[in-house]
Each structure stands twice: as C-alpha cells, then as structure tokens.
C-alpha cells in the first residue's frame, strides 16, 4: 500500500520541498513537488494524488483556494495544510474547508509521517467498510431482501434509484413475493428514513372506516366519532405512507386519493379545514390493475398517478436460483429464534424444495422452514420434515390447478404441467431417456426436443 501512495508537495521554499520529498521518499512514498499552486494543480489534474501537502501561503494563490480546487477535482485527495507558527485561525479555516489535518511551521518530519500514516489507515478502514458492506449485500441482497437472481439484482438497483427520489411507487407481485419488504427497503434507504413509515392495509377495512383511517375525522363526523382523530396521511407527514392492497379500495376512496395525489391536500372526514402534508406514497397490490380498469373497478387516472415507478416482483418459481439461498436464510433465522442448533437441509430436502412451484411464494417457503425447524429433533432438516404437498405423493389434479393458477393462460399451464410430468418420469427412470420416452409414449427425438424446449434439467 505504501509504495502505491502518491503524494504531492506544493511549497515555494526549495529547502522545504527537498526535505519533505527526501523524508517521504525514504519511507517508500511516490512524491512529486511543485513550487507554485498553478504548477501543482496542473500536475494534479493529469495525475491525482492520494495526499496533498501544501503551504497555506503560496506566491500565486491562497492554500485554501488550492484545497478547494483539488477537492472539486478529486474529492478523495486528502489535504495536509502547512501553516505559519501561531496562526491558529488559518488552521481552523483550513480544517473547515475540508483539510484532513494541519501542521505548523517548523515541524519535525516524524510528525508529518505520523499524520500521513494515520490518514492512510483511516482511508483503508473506510475502504474495508465499504467492501464489507458490499460483500454482505452481494451475499444476502439488500435491507433484509435475500436473493441473487438477475431479477432480484434488478430490483435492488431499482430500489436504490427510486429511494433517492420522492416519486410514487407501485409494487406489484403475487402474494408472498416480498412487496412489503420492498416498501420497507425503499423507505429506509431514502432521505425520509428518519421520518415516520406508516402502513395501511386497505383490504382490511370497509369504505367508511378506511376513509377516516386515511384522512382522519372531526369530532361528531359520524356516530361513534367521539373525538377528533388524525388520519394516516397526517401521521406520515415528513415520511412515507405505504398503502397495501391498493387494488381493493372502493371508488369513493379512489376519488379522494386522486385528489391528494394531485393537490397534496385533503380534509378530515366531517371537517372543513384543508390540510396539506409532505408524504411519499408507496402502494402495493397483487391484483392486475390494468385488468381492474377494464372491469371498471379501478380508475385509470388514479392508476397512472400511482404507477409512476412500477416495481414488479417476480414469483419465486421464476427465480429458482434463490430458493436454497432463501431456505438457508430461514434455517438460520429460525434456528436462532428457536434456540436450536440446525445446520441446514439434507440433499433430498433441497431437491424437493427446488422442484416445488411455490404458489404462496417466499412466505410459503418461510412457513415450511419454520414448521420443519420447530418439528425436527436432529440437526439437519430432512425431506420427511417438509409438508406433504411438496414431498410428491399423489397430488390431486385440482391441487395442481390451484398451484399453477398464477400462470393463467392455458398454454403456459399446459407447458408447466408437461415440464413437471416429464421431469418426474425422468426421475423415475433415473435419467434413462429411452425408458422415459416409452412411458411417455413419445419418441426419443421428441423427448429430446421437449427437454430442450422446456429447459428440463436432468
Ligand atoms: N427477498 C426476500 N428475502 C427474504 N425474505 C423475504 C423476501 N421476500 C419476502 N420475504 C419474506 O416473506 C414473507 C412475505 O413477504 P411480504 O409480506 O413482504 O410479501 P407480500 O408480497 O407483501 O405478501 P402479501 O401479498 O401476501 O401481503 C415475509 O415474512 C418476508 O420477510
Ligand atoms: Mg403484503
């Protein structure tokens, strides 16, 4: 590290330049010197330095100015300012302007070397910290979201980008795909992270109650309204409001919501006072809102207001590479929670988990692991510890239909079934294709084509 560190010294006194250069070079640093600010800055522009040592008083420019220019050019360059003896004021100014440290003339070379070592050590720690965080995120994802599939990496990127803005986000995905977790991640990565994060489950309340829940009500607004009450919009002021199951709200509430989004203003139920709030809105739904618009149950204008940035969460069956990562994560979590020493999953259990289509997505996988963790006596979760429906067994066709309902069109449901069926026959014949083709009543060539077409793994 030492010999890669580039240091620039700007000082108009030749003796000073030479003494500093020699001392630093003797310690293995790569040193360049300049006698004027202009020359120093030109050199730095071509070849940025890790550390700049500059005198505060230079013939052609003020040291603070040099510092500012260098910081704009390369914010990572650390600046050590040399000030005249006794001029504490200028030392303070230098530190305020962003210098990492200062030295007053005359100083001992050891003092300078010590400062440099300390600065480099600090930078090293910072870099280690960043890379550690990156490694943790690469392994586990972001803000509690586990997954390394390309689809999830794209979601992480989107979360990062969108959390730096105040735009409305609409999260769409099947049940259990992590919509709430994503809403959380957006809030806690945003500038509003220290503000409130308020959640409302819109499906849980009837229309009138939802209205007063969202916008609040005045005393006497309706029977039972004994006191004035603040709504969730008011509570979320300065933070984020997460409206879950937004596809379930009535037309009346849709109209009110549209007004808040357009004008950022509303009144409490039964009130006249117009209130305005500073709220970032995140909505989620498992419904296909475009379909709801067609059916006439969801307002198109509201949809466009909500869907400024869509986040579409893929179902678990479309990112199978995340299954075992998630399973391990849940094993870890539940074994800690239950105070049990569970080291992982057996090979057979893993095979079963990888094959299952997860109609309930991650929540279903989480529940399976939780249940297995609670039941097992040993240290490893075995295939038998998993629920019956995933252990194979004779699943009634009706059950299969339940599971693949999400892949709605008949064509893709048929494909899904074909793939599962061929896979199960191939497993039975231990991968022997001739035998499998015979059971399936197709030629070997057709079987090969199907394996390729349906991306069957053998
Ligand atoms: N990527 C993920 N990594 C780790 N855990 C996850 C992930 N996605 C979801 N989970 C877990 O799965 C469960 C369901 O997630 P969440 O409640 O966010 O889903 P949802 O899409 O809101 O579901 P629903 O539509 O049923 O409300 C939670 O316990 C959550 O912690
Ligand atoms: Mg949810």
């Amino acid at each position: 590290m030492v010999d890669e560190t580039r240091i620039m010294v700007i000082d108009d006194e030749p003796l000073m330049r030479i003494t500093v250069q020699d001392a630093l070079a003797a310690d293995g640093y790569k040193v360049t010197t300049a006698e004027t600010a202009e020359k120093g800055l030109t050199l730095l522009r071509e070849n940025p330095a890790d550390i700049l040592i500059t005198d505060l008083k230079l013939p052609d420019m003020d040291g603070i100015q040099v510092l500012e220019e260098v910081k704009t050019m390369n914010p990572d360059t650390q600046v050590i300012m040399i000030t005249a003896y006794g001029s504490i004021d200028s030392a303070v100014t230098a530190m305020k302007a962003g210098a990492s440290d200062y030295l007053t003339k005359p100083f001992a070379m050891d003092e300078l070397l010590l400062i440099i070592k300390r600065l480099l050590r600090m930078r090293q720690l910072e870099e280690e910290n960043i890379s550690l965080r990156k490694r943790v995120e690469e392994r586990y994802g972001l803000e509690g979201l586990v997954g390394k599939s390309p689809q999830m990496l794209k979601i992480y990127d989107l979360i990062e980008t969108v959390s730096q803005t105040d735009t409305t986000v609409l999260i769409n995905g099947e049940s259990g795909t992590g919509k709430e977790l994503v809403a959380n991640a957006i809030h806690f990565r945003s500038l509003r992270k220290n503000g409130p994060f308020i959640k409302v489950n819109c499906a849980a309340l009837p229309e009138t109650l939802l209205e007063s829940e969202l916008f609040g009500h005045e005393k006497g607004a309706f029977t039972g309204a004994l006191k004035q009450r603040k709504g969730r919009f008011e509570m979320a002021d300065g933070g984020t409001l997460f409206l879950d199951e937004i596809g379930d709200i009535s037309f009346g509430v849709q109209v009110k919501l549209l007004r808040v989004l357009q004008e950022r203003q509303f009144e409490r139920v039964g009130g006249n006072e117009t209130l305005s709030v500073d709220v970032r809105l995140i909505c989620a739904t498992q419904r296909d809102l475009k379909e709801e618009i067609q059916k006439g149950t969801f307002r198109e204008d509201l949809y466009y207001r909500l869907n400024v940035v869509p986040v579409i969460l893929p179902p678990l069956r479309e990112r199978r590479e995340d299954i075992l990562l998630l399973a391990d994560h849940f094993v870890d979590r539940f074994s800690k929670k239950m105070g049990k020493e569970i080291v992982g999953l057996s090979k057979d259990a893993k095979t079963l988990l990888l094959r299952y289509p997860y109609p309930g997505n991650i929540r279903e996988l989480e529940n399976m692991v939780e249940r297995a963790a609670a039941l097992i006596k040993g240290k490893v979760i075995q295939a038998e510890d998993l629920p019956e429906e995933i252990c194979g067994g004779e699943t009634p066709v009706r059950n299969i239909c339940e599971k693949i309902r999400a892949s709605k069109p008949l064509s893709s449901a048929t494909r899904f079934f074909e793939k599962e069926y061929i896979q199960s026959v191939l497993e039975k014949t231990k991968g022997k294709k001739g035998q499998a083709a015979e059971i399936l009543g197709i030629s070997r060539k057709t079987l090969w084509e199907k394996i390729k077409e349906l991306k069957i793994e053998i």
Side-chain angles (χ1 to χ4, degrees):
M1 161 138 203
V2 165
D3 45 22
E4 283 167 16
T5 306
R6 288 154 308 168
I7 302 181
M8 157 74 76
V9 183
I10 310 181
D11 201 310
D12 55 326
E13 285 175 41
L15 185 62
M16 182 72 165
R17 282 201 305 276
I18 293 164
T19 330
V20 173
Q21 181 168 30
D22 286 355
L24 297 183
D27 255 33
Y29 299 108
K30 203 167 166 227
V31 190
T32 324
T33 62
E35 61 277 16
T36 62
E38 200 190 318
K39 187 173 165 207
L41 288 171
T42 312
L43 287 172
L44 284 172
R45 213 162 276 129
E46 283 159 17
N47 221 338
D50 300 295
I51 294 177
L52 164 68
I53 303 168
T54 177
D55 200 294
L56 183 66
K57 278 213 177 67
L58 293 166
D60 56 339
M61 216 189 249
D62 185 345
I64 302 282
Q65 247 176 305
V66 177
L67 180 141
E68 278 162 359
E69 283 216 19
V70 169
K71 285 279 177 191
T72 355
M73 240 159 27
N74 181 23
D76 286 343
T77 300
Q78 311 207 50
V79 179
I80 303 173
M81 194 67 74
I82 313 281
T83 59
Y85 173 73
S87 86
I88 284 295
D89 280 354
S90 48
V92 172
T93 318
M95 294 300 277
K96 274 194 183 149
S100 301
D101 214 328
Y102 71 94
L103 275 171
T104 40
K105 277 186 205 170
F107 56 87
M109 277 308 140
D110 282 350
E111 227 181 317
L112 176 62
L113 286 169
L114 218 63
I115 290 180
I116 293 175
K117 283 221 173 70
R118 190 174 51 77
L119 292 182
L120 291 176
R121 176 77 191 129
M122 257 162 48
R123 161 158 326 166
Q124 195 190 350
L125 283 177
E126 245 170 54
E127 279 166 3
E128 275 171 14
N129 226 334
I130 293 169
S131 91
L132 193 70
R133 195 185 151 123
K134 257 187 112 155
R135 275 216 302 279
V136 170
E137 284 184 356
E138 271 164 19
R139 167 83 173 80
Y140 285 117
L142 176 137
E143 298 279 341
L145 282 157
V146 176
K148 289 202 298 190
S149 55
Q151 295 98 310
M152 282 315 282
L153 296 184
K154 271 198 195 137
I155 300 276
Y156 301 152
D157 273 350
L158 195 54
I159 293 176
E160 285 282 11
T161 316
V162 86
S163 57
Q164 300 312 310
T165 70
D166 258 350
T167 31
T168 307
V169 178
L170 179 63
I171 309 168
N172 205 224
E174 288 177 20
S175 162
T177 41
K179 297 187 289 295
E180 188 163 340
L181 221 50
V182 168
N184 263 291
I186 295 175
H187 172 74
F188 287 105
R189 295 231 138 201
S190 75
L191 294 172
R192 295 172 175 264
K193 61 174 179 270
N194 296 322
F197 181 57
I198 305 284
K199 299 176 200 175
V200 183
N201 182 349
C202 301
L205 298 167
E207 175 167 1
T208 46
L209 278 185
L210 179 61
E211 204 181 319
S212 91
E213 185 74 21
L214 290 177
F215 307 110
H217 61 70
E218 295 295 343
K219 184 177 169 182
F222 47 83
T223 339
L226 301 176
K227 289 195 288 196
Q228 183 205 61
R229 187 165 175 250
K230 278 190 179 179
R232 301 285 168 150
F233 266 100
E234 274 176 84
M235 290 183 200
D237 198 14
T240 307
L241 180 63
F242 174 43
L243 299 181
D244 204 359
E245 315 290 1
I246 190 82
D248 291 44
I249 62 173
S250 66
F251 237 78
V253 180
Q254 286 179 33
V255 174
K256 295 220 157 173
L257 198 57
L258 186 63
R259 177 167 165 234
V260 187
L261 285 171
Q262 274 166 348
E263 299 164 22
R264 300 270 150 197
Q265 284 184 340
F266 61 93
E267 285 94 32
R268 295 193 193 106
V269 177
N272 297 320
E273 188 191 352
T274 301
L275 305 165
S276 52
V277 284
D278 165 31
V279 167
R280 198 266 175 88
L281 200 62
I282 303 179
C283 300
T285 180
Q286 38 178 309
R287 290 181 193 266
D288 180 347
L289 289 186
K290 283 225 159 114
E291 217 169 74
E292 303 293 323
I293 294 169
Q294 297 273 308
K295 280 197 276 176
T297 51
F298 205 85
R299 290 183 66 113
E300 193 169 15
D301 44 7
L302 178 60
Y303 171 74
Y304 286 113
R305 285 271 170 190
L306 297 178
N307 200 36
V308 183
V309 178
V311 177
I312 299 163
L313 288 179
L316 186 53
R317 64 181 169 281
E318 281 173 19
R319 47 183 183 106
R320 296 197 168 265
E321 60 264 58
D322 286 341
I323 294 175
L324 293 183
L325 206 64
L326 281 158
D328 278 344
H329 165 72
F330 293 134
V331 168
D332 231 45
R333 189 204 286 166
F334 291 118
S335 57
K336 279 201 191 96
K337 200 167 148 194
M338 297 174 189
K340 282 184 158 184
E341 194 198 336
I342 307 171
V343 292
L345 296 134
S346 76
K347 203 161 164 267
D348 286 352
K350 284 184 183 167
T351 313
L352 284 180
L353 287 179
L354 281 171
R355 262 202 344 226
Y356 186 64
Y358 300 95
N361 293 294
I362 301 158
R363 180 176 291 110
E364 189 178 10
L365 174 60
E366 185 178 11
N367 291 344
M368 271 183 204
V369 175
E370 181 172 16
R371 178 177 166 275
L375 294 179
I376 65 160
K377 301 240 155 32
K379 288 186 178 175
V380 177
I381 297 179
Q382 306 289 341
E384 307 82 83
D385 301 320
L386 297 171
E388 222 167 80
E389 62 263 31
I390 127 162
C391 289
E394 285 295 318
T395 331
V397 176
R398 182 87 214 177
N399 261 356
I400 301 179
C401 295
E402 293 274 346
K403 276 175 199 146
I404 56 179
R405 204 179 302 145
S407 39
K408 261 176 232 129
L410 183 61
S411 57
S412 56
T414 315
R415 237 175 102 88
F416 183 89
F417 176 77
E418 239 190 342
K419 182 173 176 178
E420 286 291 312
Y421 188 54
I422 295 176
Q423 203 148 23
S424 80
V425 171
L426 277 166
E427 262 159 30
K428 189 130 193 141
T429 64
K430 301 207 163 50
K432 289 195 192 99
K433 286 175 212 72
Q435 214 178 329
E438 216 173 290
I439 297 175
L440 292 164
I442 52 177
S443 69
R444 281 176 76 118
K445 184 166 166 276
T446 312
L447 178 58
W448 261 118
E449 283 164 2
K450 292 267 177 212
I451 290 173
K452 247 176 65 196
E453 185 205 339
L454 300 167
K455 300 200 182 72
I456 294 173
E457 285 157 25
I458 9 171

